[in-house]
Amino acid sequence: MNITVSTHKLSGYRATLRTAKQLATPAVKLVNRTVTGRMPDVQITLTNPRGMAELATLAEVELAGGGVDKRVAQREERHAAREGRSVFGRAVPLADGSVLVLINVDRVESPGEFAITLVHELVHAMQFSRKGVRERIIRDRRHCFNIERQSRRQSREQERCHDEEEREAYSREYLADHIVPGARAA
């Protein structure tokens, strides 16, 4: 498993990047030990809400197999940008089997918040490696991009599984206290 940490469309965040690099390896090791699944290669990118929307949409178009109508992709990017203002982070599976973890630096104000966000998103990265999860996500993305319709049953299953995965990720945020003592107290 390889871990890379970088920035996208940010300048002047050298200290934040340094902190991210210091916290990434212990966070990956901790989540890998405590969560069921196999940790894929992880690309951690620090960015702003607009950059999150851009990178996530590009990754999802590639995951869906390409051939997406430009207007549909732009609509999804606008939706992601609106949602991205209030989101701390986002994990997106990539077509090559790795995971892109996007961190919104406008929302993450301390190393403790960064550790909590990182642990949460790394739990999602572990979930992507489980049987059937990646295929379900690809099917949902293909539906969102109007490539291939999914049935109502599949749509309800996606929503139910997504809610379960979110609950699991929130329940593991306590692990951030092992990386940055007192992270959840802040």
Side-chain angles (χ1 to χ4, degrees):
M1 113 191 82
N2 293 328
I3 307 163
T4 58
V5 182
S6 62
T7 60
H8 176 71
K9 292 190 176 178
L10 291 179
S11 59
Y13 282 88
R14 193 172 297 146
T16 307
L17 181 62
R18 193 174 325 110
T19 302
K21 287 180 179 181
Q22 290 171 349
L23 298 177
T25 303
V28 167
K29 288 179 181 175
L30 187 62
V31 171
N32 198 20
R33 278 196 318 260
T34 57
V35 178
T36 309
R38 184 188 62 80
M39 182 64 76
D41 292 344
V42 179
Q43 300 173 24
I44 300 168
T45 304
L46 308 175
T47 188
N48 55 24
R50 193 81 193 139
M52 279 181 63
E54 178 186 327
L55 291 175
T57 303
L58 286 173
E60 288 175 343
V61 165
E62 186 180 336
L63 183 68
V68 175
D69 184 28
K70 188 176 181 179
R71 291 177 304 221
V72 174
Q74 289 172 344
R75 181 192 70 209
E76 287 296 317
E77 186 174 337
R78 284 191 305 271
H79 173 72
R82 279 191 306 272
E83 186 180 278
R85 291 185 199 110
S86 62
V87 173
F88 283 80
R90 184 170 178 185
V92 181
L94 297 174
D96 65 359
S98 62
V99 175
L100 175 64
V101 173
L102 301 167
I103 305 291
N104 183 355
V105 294
D106 292 349
R107 294 287 302 199
V108 179
E109 298 173 355
S110 69
E113 282 183 352
F114 181 82
I116 291 170
T117 304
L118 187 59
V119 166
H120 182 98
E121 299 308 327
L122 289 173
V123 169
H124 288 310
M126 291 290 279
Q127 292 166 345
F128 296 153
S129 71
R130 296 178 185 163
K131 184 178 180 184
V133 174
R134 183 177 281 286
E135 292 77 21
R136 180 174 43 83
I137 292 171
I138 291 171
R139 184 180 64 220
D140 183 61
R141 292 294 88 200
R142 291 179 66 80
H143 175 76
C144 288
F145 289 124
N146 296 332
I147 297 171
E148 183 178 318
R149 294 194 48 84
Q150 65 180 349
S151 68
R152 288 189 180 117
R153 182 182 204 177
Q154 291 170 329
S155 181
R156 285 191 306 267
E157 175 194 5
Q158 167 64 16
E159 286 181 32
R160 181 184 54 77
C161 291
H162 176 74
D163 292 344
E164 287 175 13
E165 290 163 353
E166 279 298 322
R167 277 194 296 276
E168 179 186 8
Y170 280 117
S171 73
R172 299 300 173 110
E173 287 182 357
Y174 73 91
L175 295 171
D177 286 332
H178 297 290
I179 303 164
V180 176
R184 293 186 349 155

